[in-house]
Amino acid sequence: MRLFFEPESVVVIGAPRKTGPGALNNIEMMLRYGYKGRVYPINPNADAICGIKAFPSVSEVPETPDLAVISVGRDRVLPMLRQCVDKGIRRAVVITQGFSDADSIGAELQRQIVELAHATGMRIVGPNTMGVINHYKHFTTAFVDRPFPEKFPPVSLIAQTGFIQVAPREIAYGEWGKAIDTGNTSDVDFVDALNYFNDDPETRIICIHMEGMNRGREFLKAAAATTLKKPVLAIKTGRSRAGARAALSHSGSLVGEDDVFNAAFRRAGIIRVKTLLELRDSIHALLRLEEMKGPRMCVLTVTGAGGIMCADAAEDYGLELSSLPKGLPEKLKQGMPDWIHVGNPIDIWPIGMIGGNYTRVFGETLKDLLVADEVDGVMCIFPVSVSALHQDLNLLQAVEEARQQTGSRKPISAWTYMDSDLFRDKFESIERVGNFDSIDQAVQGLGFALRATRNRERRAPEPKVFPYDAEKVRSLMGTDGVLAGEKALELLACFGIPAPESRLVSSAVEAVAAGKEIGYPLVLKLAGPAFLHKSEWGGVVPGIRNRRDLEKALRDVEKSVRRKDSRARIDSWLVQEQAEGKEILMGLKLDPQFGHVIACGLGGIYTEVFRDVSREIVPIGRGEAEWMLKSLRMYPLLQGARGERPVDIEVLIDILQRLSFMATVLPGIREMDINPVMASAEKCVAVDARIIFE
Amino acid sequence: MRLFFEPESVVVIGAPRKTGPGALNNIEMMLRYGYKGRVYPINPNADAICGIKAFPSVSEVPETPDLAVISVGRDRVLPMLRQCVDKGIRRAVVITQGFSDADSIGAELQRQIVELAHATGMRIVGPNTMGVINHYKHFTTAFVDRPFPEKFPPVSLIAQTGFIQVAPREIAYGEWGKAIDTGNTSDVDFVDALNYFNDDPETRIICIHMEGMNRGREFLKAAAATTLKKPVLAIKTGRSRAGARAALSHSGSLVGEDDVFNAAFRRAGIIRVKTLLELRDSIHALLRLEEMKGPRMCVLTVTGAGGIMCADAAEDYGLELSSLPKGLPEKLKQGMPDWIHVGNPIDIWPIGMIGGNYTRVFGETLKDLLVADEVDGVMCIFPVSVSALHQDLNLLQAVEEARQQTGSRKPISAWTYMDSDLFRDKFESIERVGNFDSIDQAVQGLGFALRATRNRERRAPEPKVFPYDAEKVRSLMGTDGVLAGEKALELLACFGIPAPESRLVSSAVEAVAAGKEIGYPLVLKLAGPAFLHKSEWGGVVPGIRNRRDLEKALRDVEKSVRRKDSRARIDSWLVQEQAEGKEILMGLKLDPQFGHVIACGLGGIYTEVFRDVSREIVPIGRGEAEWMLKSLRMYPLLQGARGERPVDIEVLIDILQRLSFMATVLPGIREMDINPVMASAEKCVAVDARIIFE
């Protein structure tokens, strides 16, 4: 990747002769950017471009350049790449569009390009790309003119589009340090770019714009390693379309595509942002605040009303209002009237007004907060004014002094008003202070710092290995690719996942005997391959409480079957313990990008409407299984709200781990739904299941 | 109110002698603002303040000023107000803090002030306020120095804090035209201010910052009238605390305080914003875009990736992607390669690149969209650059020409990049174009315009009147303030709300006879005043399917009661039809601000965890009742998802209207829960209820 970002020589194929307005000449842009490497324009119709000697073909260039930049018509890209390979060039940026972004002809051309790359070891960025920017080397392949920035923070971008690259003023925190547009991402992809930026000392924060992805597992691996060192932010677009695609079938609703990305990003420690605005705020937060060691925020504000807004925002962004440092309330109330009360948010307004020394009391309090064990980060609201009448009010200076005098590294997030625009540079000069455009964005900033810190400190899952009867598993899996009902439950049982007690019987007499053995209440089910969709045959009768009920149920089902098909014959019945408790759905799904995803959530009739489902990438350990349950909105019901006994959550955690293990042992599982697991205080059993193999 | 905003003369009581840095002298600020009215400082220790002759007391002022501005210590406020009353002054702004914002002494002082106001007709803003700003008259009562703004849009602010008033650069769209800080809102309140701004030709948009409120019903009336003329935006803070307060009892979860504000604002046509950032964006949207007649947005973009982001955001903000104008795709594809495809979002990038005339094709397409019947508003993404190399790219000018040449009033929302900061003024000069900081904010802007338009066009509810037996209602209500179980159901029945068929019986023999009459399945319930909490006595047995079950249930309950209390005697039983279907919760709650609130939502064990509840302010008509059901997440289940028959939604709509009517007839209802209404295709019945009267 280094040659893409730091080439010492570049051959530019297809640069127009024309320069100036409207020419979109990328050699011109490269030179304006101050690129110091050697540039070789290829153009058979020009002697020179931008004053640089042009060559009729690549073969005539007097050295082997590090990089080729290609923007000829799509039909000529492959021949040009071949010429580059022949010349010994090993890196190319293909700017040309009209490949897999366009039609089947373009897709075929792209396939051939990739084939060439794989055969020859040539690495290709694009096609359909703006290419690469590296401000550290004054290098750009873009055909768009931007002034070379005065300063650029160590933020690197990986995008599948060009516009984010040229819009850092509006999207990033001023600038990107380095950027790559992978375009159609035919060869060089997120994994390559991530690995490069992971090792790159000039990159402190990585931003990803993603529309789609391949090599999901490798991506997760690369990202998981990277996020232990530096934060990775991602905006994954297509949220809404994914929502529309989500089928209303169980599996569909369990694992919508977009939710899988959430699970994957969480696993890899990537912070997903929803909008470009959030991207900008998160970059600012991570550059300026760096870290926040816990969720406890103290608010120091010159307006009580603003303090309330901070409290609202705290809840939105996963923060808590900290308790106050010991002794601080007493200190603040000293010499004040009785009615002054001090809480968090600390409203310093009346204290400053009465005491007549705002700057001092604000600064002293901030110092106390910065060194207090009770506080992980501080949120400040105060006015900044250039008015001569407010020169005594030097709150920003108080912030600076508090930072310097305490030596604390705790984050300070701030929102200021009145003349905030005029104080931006001053803010910049104070370490670990974030200066945001609104109260909510400032609180959110602390939230981002906390998330990045937690991602750096997170630990990999520790999946358990379980014993299982491999022989029996093989015999059960059969050949038709689908296991449903009892067969599916048997397979689950091989992995230690309990099913309700049941007996397969072939007569009413046997059924009654089985009922006596198992104990009521019972469910009676039609069995046998002829009745795959039992309910459609009226073949499931729950809530059987005694022998009479059972006998009636047997008659009813027979009648129902005969009504549907007078020739149908019932060979066997299943008499099953009626499991009681909360209905929980569990499942696995093979995602094309990320492999097996495990899901768990609310079962029963409300599954689709509330979509209360948590997901993790397989494999999971105990911690992830526990999180999957705890993050459900229905979790309080599992804990026994309304005075009920709590369900056996340990067993649910165990079942989830066993499912994860099962997926690693049986990689051919395409889809599995256990619907439901019935969970009570006494037991948790899989009542029905369906498994589809590849 | 006019005298507060446009006083021709002001007496300032308690202005300090000191001026300049740190003095916070509001006379100084008033003069710096260019106020042209007559100003009378009251200060017994000064001859003049800011060069204006001072008077030792109000009585010596040579005229009766329109307004008094008071900032003396809290103990001296009341005497000063009395002097003002004696002088004939009828308006006062009390800046002093330390009243109901502080302690019980302050609260008592404030009560006395209000008493004086009510007794004398004096109107008071505050206490604890920054007061009033009116840029049209160069008038301010604030003790904070701000430069008089060059321009100020017709946006007026009503706030319960001062900081929003002095932070318009950071919060508003540049400035407020007029602003009032009602402070502790002891006398002049939201209703007064709203009514003033409603009639005020200098106000086009009203923004409200609200922490609490009184006169809720009057507020709703004033706001409902105002929003038919001009948009009202509100930020109501304390969202999170309200969340925390929400009890886990049914009524608590039904009607959390914050949700009542949502219902009230919706009823009044007020647009609630969550954050100050949203406030700024909504002001910008309503000033610039004015109206959007429907949800159909067409996206015209120079970046496909940005187009996808617009599609994501459309879903977030209640917009749809429009179909394309007839003939437009064909027009755009003319002379283009086959692989160009045109959809919404319209990605103009490849067409512009290939055709070589971006500006023309962009402008022509925009014109088509502006005049197309299929499109209600346009979202544009394009670069703006000052680079000499991109002078051929004049997309902003194309926007201007499209606006001028079509004469269309459709909103255009835009996000631009590269040099966006340098084009703000140019944007301002084009009518009905919004220029936002990010893609999502721009799409959100169209959403705000749509909401304001719909609020202007909305219609008042048309509540129905139902017949009822007033005599019977009176006899049922009794004296103890609580009606539960059968009594409550009887009361509901008086208003035509159906209950399950049931019989009160006093023996097993009678019970069996009743069972035969009603038909199985049945529920058996303990009856009689001794067993108010039936379930605690084990006194409710559902799912009785035959006589034997019934007899067993009678025995079981007797045993259970005797176990709890050997002396307890069972006098009577209730044999009740077992209603089946979906469990729906309905209820009423008397809100201290807004009166009766009606709620409906998911019943059963999931009520608390999913909080799927809709609320409306009473009275409601058919439209509101229908909305209450349709806005529930569980609504698809009522419609009959999973192949079930739909429940009788018309009956549910009818019941909600009857409950609303009941609340208007019985204003003493403090709380009512019907839990649940069982709703099926055949019938919807109230199965259990509890009513608490004031």
Side-chain angles (χ1 to χ4, degrees):
Chain A
M1 288 297 295
R2 207 186 48 76
L3 291 183
F4 281 112
F5 283 95
E6 309 173 22
E8 294 189 359
S9 49
V10 184
V11 56
V12 182
I13 304 170
R17 266 186 301 178
K18 201 183 150 202
T19 60
L24 303 181
N25 186 322
N26 49 5
I27 293 183
E28 189 172 15
M29 310 308 177
M30 215 178 272
L31 298 178
R32 284 167 76 96
Y33 234 51
Y35 176 58
K36 298 283 182 265
R38 297 176 297 283
V39 180
Y40 302 101
I42 305 297
N43 189 321
N45 308 314
D47 291 334
I49 292 177
C50 297
I52 303 180
K53 179 177 160 47
F55 296 83
S57 77
V58 175
S59 60
E60 288 165 67
V61 170
E63 66 168 315
T64 298
D66 285 343
L67 178 67
V69 178
I70 301 176
S71 47
V72 296
R74 70 176 184 180
D75 297 325
R76 291 175 52 223
V77 169
L78 192 62
M80 287 301 151
L81 280 169
R82 285 217 185 90
Q83 289 186 18
C84 291
V85 169
D86 292 344
K87 183 74 181 176
I89 298 173
R90 305 189 53 233
R91 301 287 180 269
V93 171
V94 179
I95 289 174
T96 313
Q97 58 183 326
F99 291 88
S100 72
D101 50 303
D103 58 1
S104 58
I105 299 169
E108 170 57 20
L109 285 171
Q110 183 169 315
R111 200 193 56 70
Q112 291 171 12
I113 287 174
V114 173
E115 204 172 66
L116 177 77
H118 290 176
T120 61
M122 161 82 92
R123 298 302 311 269
I124 293 170
V125 169
N128 189 20
T129 175
M130 197 87 94
V132 170
I133 287 180
N134 178 2
H135 285 129
Y136 297 87
K137 296 287 177 190
H138 288 251
F139 180 63
T140 176
T141 64
F143 46 83
V144 171
D145 186 44
R146 292 196 63 235
F148 189 82
E150 272 174 50
K151 53 182 179 179
F152 37 89
V155 181
S156 292
L157 169 72
I158 311 168
Q160 290 191 302
T161 175
F163 87 95
I164 298 180
Q165 207 176 84
V166 298
R169 286 198 208 165
E170 293 85 3
I171 292 174
Y173 181 57
E175 270 300 336
W176 310 109
K178 303 181 180 183
I180 179 169
D181 168 11
T182 61
N184 291 357
T185 319
S186 72
D187 178 31
V188 168
D189 64 4
F190 293 112
V191 180
D192 299 308
L194 258 183
N195 285 333
Y196 170 72
F197 287 134
N198 181 15
D199 289 332
D200 177 29
E202 287 161 345
T203 296
R204 238 181 68 206
I205 295 170
I206 301 166
C207 299
I208 297 177
H209 160 265
M210 185 185 286
E211 290 182 352
M213 110 113 47
N214 38 40
R215 293 216 286 165
R217 284 272 164 177
E218 290 94 327
F219 173 78
L220 287 192
K221 207 175 142 199
T226 305
T227 53
L228 295 175
K229 286 167 67 179
K230 40 187 108 178
V232 177
L233 302 162
I235 180 163
K236 160 78 180 70
T237 63
R239 293 183 275 120
S240 59
R241 289 185 308 175
R245 265 200 302 264
L248 267 182
S249 84
H250 270 182
S251 326
S253 65
L254 262 181
V255 189
E257 205 179 88
D258 199 58
D259 294 316
V260 174
F261 274 96
N262 284 334
F265 287 169
R266 193 177 55 246
R267 167 62 60 90
I270 293 174
I271 297 175
R272 182 176 186 175
V273 296
K274 211 174 125 190
T275 64
L276 291 178
L277 180 68
E278 267 182 37
L279 183 62
R280 185 172 67 196
D281 287 329
S282 58
I283 292 171
H284 181 57
L286 299 179
L287 270 175
R288 298 291 302 163
L289 307 177
E290 293 190 33
E291 69 177 357
M292 171 129 168
K293 294 207 165 152
R296 301 165 308 162
M297 168 178 78
C298 193
V299 180
L300 179 59
T301 173
V302 161
T303 148
I308 295 174
M309 293 178 191
C310 293
D312 285 349
E315 201 172 272
D316 293 341
Y317 300 116
L319 302 173
E320 300 161 8
L321 293 179
S322 75
S323 58
L324 290 178
K326 267 205 194 103
L328 180 64
E330 295 72 21
K331 196 164 144 190
L332 284 171
K333 285 157 100 167
Q334 221 166 14
M336 289 289 127
D338 283 347
W339 57 264
I340 294 288
H341 44 90
V342 175
N344 181 10
I346 304 175
D347 180 3
I348 211 88
W349 170 257
I351 299 168
M353 281 294 277
I354 294 167
N357 197 336
Y358 255 120
T359 307
R360 194 189 52 74
V361 69
F362 185 92
E364 290 298 320
T365 306
L366 182 55
K367 273 190 241 172
D368 286 349
L369 297 178
L370 286 178
V371 299
D373 288 338
E374 293 87 349
V375 177
D376 298 311
V378 183
M379 167 70 206
C380 292
I381 300 180
F382 55 89
V384 288
S385 168
V386 293
S387 163
L389 301 190
H390 296 308
Q391 286 317 297
D392 58 320
L393 206 65
N394 264 314
L395 301 180
L396 186 52
Q397 192 183 315
V399 171
E400 185 171 23
E401 284 168 15
R403 172 61 81 212
Q404 284 165 356
Q405 289 170 19
T406 60
S408 149
R409 295 166 59 86
K410 257 177 226 170
I412 302 176
S413 205
W415 178 71
T416 61
Y417 54 97
M418 289 187 71
D419 292 322
S420 53
D421 270 351
L422 308 175
F423 287 81
R424 293 204 180 273
D425 288 344
K426 176 69 185 160
F427 255 110
E428 283 290 297
S429 71
I430 311 174
E431 258 179 52
R432 289 171 193 263
V433 177
N435 173 23
F436 292 87
D437 286 345
S438 78
I439 288 175
D440 284 77
Q441 287 165 293
V443 174
Q444 179 186 244
L446 290 176
F448 281 126
L450 176 63
R451 283 166 69 187
T453 310
R454 286 189 166 158
N455 281 333
R456 260 196 309 275
E457 290 163 357
R458 78 188 192 287
R459 298 176 59 179
E462 292 169 2
K464 250 168 98 175
V465 171
F466 296 89
Y468 70 103
D469 181 345
E471 196 63 43
K472 187 161 182 205
V473 167
R474 247 193 310 279
S475 76
L476 277 167
M477 281 176 59
T479 51
D480 67 348
V482 179
L483 280 187
E486 303 316 313
K487 287 282 172 196
L489 293 181
E490 268 189 74
L491 187 68
L492 290 170
C494 292
F495 290 90
I497 296 163
E501 207 179 333
S502 62
R503 301 277 183 285
L504 201 65
V505 300
S506 50
S507 69
V509 176
E510 281 181 36
V512 170
K516 198 167 174 189
E517 242 180 272
I518 296 171
Y520 294 91
L522 291 170
V523 189
L524 177 72
K525 293 179 179 174
L526 261 181
F531 308 106
L532 200 62
H533 299 288
K534 301 180 197 68
S535 354
E536 287 172 16
W537 292 90
V540 179
V541 183
I544 294 172
R545 284 193 286 187
N546 48 45
R547 179 182 164 160
R548 221 166 91 168
D549 282 2
L550 179 56
E551 286 166 346
K552 182 166 182 300
L554 288 159
R555 284 193 303 273
D556 288 351
V557 171
E558 276 199 274
K559 260 186 250 165
S560 161
V561 167
R562 225 167 291 135
R563 255 200 313 277
K564 297 232 172 217
D565 181 352
S566 55
R567 290 164 308 167
R569 271 204 62 211
I570 303 175
D571 292 320
S572 53
W573 307 84
L574 196 80
V575 178
Q576 194 173 56
E577 164 198 6
Q578 174 156 329
E580 298 193 320
K582 303 280 180 292
E583 290 183 69
I584 296 175
L585 211 67
M586 292 188 182
L588 291 168
K589 184 160 181 175
L590 189 62
D591 181 78
Q593 308 308 342
F594 299 109
H596 278 119
V597 179
I598 183 168
C600 121
L602 170 70
I605 62 164
Y606 295 116
T607 300
E608 284 91 356
V609 289
F610 294 115
R611 294 170 176 261
D612 184 25
V613 177
S614 57
R615 297 169 188 82
E616 276 282 348
I617 304 292
V618 168
I620 61 168
R622 197 201 134 78
E624 291 74 25
E626 203 176 341
W627 175 88
M628 287 181 74
L629 292 165
K630 286 194 171 167
S631 64
L632 292 177
R633 295 184 68 183
M634 74 174 298
Y635 186 69
L637 292 180
L638 301 181
Q639 286 181 296
R642 299 170 154 235
E644 292 172 337
R645 289 173 63 202
V647 312
D648 194 336
I649 287 168
E650 282 305 318
V651 175
L652 294 176
I653 291 173
D654 181 67
I655 294 178
L656 285 168
Q657 289 174 275
R658 287 174 189 271
L659 287 178
S660 166
F661 173 72
M662 191 172 156
T664 58
V665 170
L666 302 175
I669 295 177
R670 177 152 31 111
E671 226 175 283
M672 175 170 94
D673 289 325
I674 309 182
N675 185 13
V677 171
M678 289 300 272
S680 71
E682 290 78 28
K683 53 160 88 176
C684 301
V685 291
V687 172
D688 199 2
R690 188 178 151 87
I691 310 173
I692 303 173
F693 295 93
E694 294 243 272
Chain B
M1 289 297 295
R2 207 186 46 78
L3 292 183
F4 281 113
F5 283 94
E6 309 174 22
E8 293 189 359
S9 50
V10 185
V11 56
V12 182
I13 305 170
R17 267 187 300 177
K18 201 183 151 205
T19 58
L24 303 182
N25 186 320
N26 49 5
I27 293 183
E28 189 172 15
M29 310 308 177
M30 215 179 272
L31 299 178
R32 282 167 77 97
Y33 233 51
Y35 176 57
K36 299 283 182 264
R38 299 176 295 283
V39 179
Y40 302 101
I42 306 297
N43 190 321
N45 306 315
D47 292 333
I49 292 178
C50 296
I52 303 180
K53 179 176 157 52
F55 297 83
S57 77
V58 175
S59 60
E60 287 165 67
V61 170
E63 67 169 314
T64 299
D66 286 343
L67 178 67
V69 178
I70 301 175
S71 48
V72 297
R74 70 175 184 180
D75 297 324
R76 292 174 54 222
V77 169
L78 192 61
M80 286 301 150
L81 280 170
R82 287 216 184 88
Q83 289 187 17
C84 291
V85 169
D86 292 344
K87 183 72 181 176
I89 297 173
R90 306 188 53 232
R91 300 288 180 269
V93 171
V94 179
I95 289 174
T96 314
Q97 59 182 324
F99 291 87
S100 71
D101 50 303
D103 58 0
S104 59
I105 300 169
E108 171 56 21
L109 285 171
Q110 182 169 315
R111 200 194 54 74
Q112 292 171 14
I113 287 174
V114 173
E115 205 173 66
L116 177 77
H118 290 175
T120 62
M122 160 81 92
R123 298 303 309 269
I124 293 170
V125 169
N128 189 21
T129 175
M130 196 87 93
V132 170
I133 287 180
N134 177 3
H135 284 128
Y136 296 88
K137 296 287 176 191
H138 287 251
F139 181 63
T140 176
T141 65
F143 46 85
V144 172
D145 186 45
R146 293 195 63 236
F148 189 83
E150 272 175 51
K151 53 182 179 179
F152 36 90
V155 181
S156 293
L157 169 72
I158 312 168
Q160 289 190 304
T161 176
F163 88 95
I164 298 180
Q165 207 175 83
V166 298
R169 284 196 210 166
E170 292 84 4
I171 293 175
Y173 181 57
E175 270 299 334
W176 310 109
K178 303 180 179 183
I180 179 168
D181 169 10
T182 62
N184 290 359
T185 319
S186 73
D187 178 31
V188 168
D189 65 2
F190 292 112
V191 180
D192 299 309
L194 258 184
N195 284 334
Y196 170 72
F197 287 135
N198 181 15
D199 289 333
D200 177 29
E202 287 161 346
T203 296
R204 237 181 68 205
I205 296 170
I206 300 166
C207 299
I208 297 177
H209 161 263
M210 185 184 286
E211 289 181 352
M213 112 113 43
N214 38 39
R215 295 215 286 164
R217 284 271 163 178
E218 291 94 327
F219 172 79
L220 287 192
K221 208 177 140 197
T226 306
T227 52
L228 295 175
K229 285 167 66 178
K230 38 187 107 178
V232 176
L233 302 162
I235 180 163
K236 160 78 180 71
T237 63
R239 293 183 276 120
S240 59
R241 290 184 307 174
R245 265 201 303 265
L248 267 183
S249 83
H250 271 182
S251 327
S253 65
L254 262 183
V255 189
E257 207 180 87
D258 199 59
D259 292 317
V260 175
F261 275 96
N262 283 335
F265 288 170
R266 193 177 55 246
R267 167 62 60 90
I270 293 173
I271 297 173
R272 182 176 187 175
V273 297
K274 211 173 126 191
T275 65
L276 291 178
L277 180 68
E278 267 182 36
L279 183 62
R280 185 173 67 196
D281 287 330
S282 58
I283 293 172
H284 181 57
L286 299 179
L287 270 175
R288 298 291 302 164
L289 307 177
E290 294 190 35
E291 69 177 359
M292 171 128 168
K293 295 209 165 153
R296 301 165 309 164
M297 168 178 79
C298 192
V299 180
L300 179 59
T301 174
V302 161
T303 147
I308 295 174
M309 293 178 190
C310 293
D312 285 349
E315 200 172 273
D316 293 342
Y317 300 116
L319 301 173
E320 301 160 7
L321 293 180
S322 75
S323 59
L324 290 178
K326 269 206 193 103
L328 180 64
E330 295 72 21
K331 197 164 142 189
L332 284 171
K333 285 157 98 168
Q334 221 165 14
M336 288 290 128
D338 283 346
W339 56 265
I340 294 288
H341 44 92
V342 175
N344 181 9
I346 304 175
D347 180 3
I348 212 88
W349 170 256
I351 299 169
M353 281 295 277
I354 294 167
N357 197 337
Y358 256 120
T359 308
R360 192 188 54 73
V361 68
F362 185 92
E364 290 299 320
T365 306
L366 181 55
K367 273 190 241 172
D368 286 349
L369 297 178
L370 286 178
V371 299
D373 288 340
E374 293 86 349
V375 177
D376 298 311
V378 182
M379 167 71 204
C380 292
I381 300 180
F382 55 90
V384 287
S385 168
V386 294
S387 163
L389 301 190
H390 297 307
Q391 286 316 297
D392 58 319
L393 205 64
N394 264 315
L395 301 180
L396 186 52
Q397 191 183 315
V399 171
E400 185 172 22
E401 285 168 12
R403 173 60 83 211
Q404 284 166 355
Q405 289 171 17
T406 59
S408 150
R409 295 165 60 84
K410 257 177 226 169
I412 302 176
S413 205
W415 178 71
T416 61
Y417 54 98
M418 290 187 71
D419 291 322
S420 53
D421 271 351
L422 307 175
F423 286 81
R424 293 204 181 273
D425 289 343
K426 175 68 187 162
F427 255 111
E428 282 291 296
S429 71
I430 310 174
E431 259 181 52
R432 289 169 193 263
V433 177
N435 173 23
F436 292 86
D437 286 345
S438 76
I439 288 175
D440 285 76
Q441 287 165 292
V443 174
Q444 180 186 245
L446 290 176
F448 281 125
L450 176 63
R451 283 166 69 187
T453 309
R454 287 189 166 158
N455 281 334
R456 258 196 311 275
E457 291 164 357
R458 79 189 191 287
R459 299 176 59 177
E462 292 169 1
K464 250 167 99 175
V465 171
F466 295 89
Y468 70 103
D469 181 345
E471 197 61 46
K472 186 160 184 208
V473 167
R474 249 193 308 281
S475 74
L476 276 167
M477 282 176 59
T479 51
D480 67 346
V482 178
L483 280 187
E486 303 315 313
K487 287 281 173 197
L489 293 182
E490 269 188 73
L491 187 68
L492 290 170
C494 292
F495 290 90
I497 296 163
E501 207 181 333
S502 62
R503 303 276 183 286
L504 200 63
V505 300
S506 50
S507 70
V509 175
E510 281 181 36
V512 169
K516 198 168 172 186
E517 243 181 272
I518 297 171
Y520 296 91
L522 291 171
V523 189
L524 177 71
K525 292 179 180 175
L526 261 182
F531 307 105
L532 200 62
H533 299 288
K534 301 179 197 71
S535 352
E536 287 172 17
W537 291 90
V540 179
V541 184
I544 294 171
R545 283 193 284 188
N546 48 45
R547 180 180 164 161
R548 221 165 92 169
D549 281 3
L550 179 56
E551 286 165 346
K552 183 166 183 300
L554 287 158
R555 285 193 304 273
D556 287 351
V557 172
E558 275 198 274
K559 262 186 249 166
S560 161
V561 166
R562 224 168 290 135
R563 256 200 312 276
K564 296 233 172 216
D565 181 351
S566 56
R567 290 164 309 167
R569 270 204 59 210
I570 302 175
D571 293 321
S572 54
W573 307 84
L574 196 80
V575 178
Q576 194 173 55
E577 164 198 7
Q578 174 157 327
E580 298 191 320
K582 302 280 180 293
E583 289 184 70
I584 296 174
L585 212 67
M586 291 188 182
L588 290 168
K589 184 159 182 175
L590 190 62
D591 181 78
Q593 308 308 342
F594 299 110
H596 279 117
V597 179
I598 184 167
C600 123
L602 171 70
I605 62 164
Y606 296 114
T607 300
E608 286 90 355
V609 290
F610 294 114
R611 295 171 175 262
D612 184 25
V613 177
S614 58
R615 298 171 187 79
E616 276 282 347
I617 305 292
V618 167
I620 61 168
R622 196 202 136 78
E624 291 75 24
E626 202 176 342
W627 175 88
M628 287 181 74
L629 293 165
K630 286 193 172 168
S631 64
L632 293 176
R633 293 184 69 185
M634 74 174 297
Y635 186 69
L637 291 181
L638 301 181
Q639 286 181 295
R642 298 168 154 241
E644 291 172 339
R645 288 174 61 201
V647 312
D648 194 335
I649 286 168
E650 282 305 317
V651 174
L652 293 176
I653 291 173
D654 181 66
I655 294 178
L656 284 168
Q657 288 174 275
R658 287 173 189 273
L659 286 178
S660 167
F661 173 72
M662 191 173 157
T664 59
V665 170
L666 303 176
I669 295 177
R670 175 147 39 105
E671 227 175 282
M672 177 170 94
D673 289 325
I674 309 182
N675 185 13
V677 171
M678 289 300 272
S680 70
E682 290 78 28
K683 53 161 89 177
C684 300
V685 290
V687 172
D688 199 3
R690 188 179 150 88
I691 310 174
I692 304 173
F693 295 94
E694 292 245 272

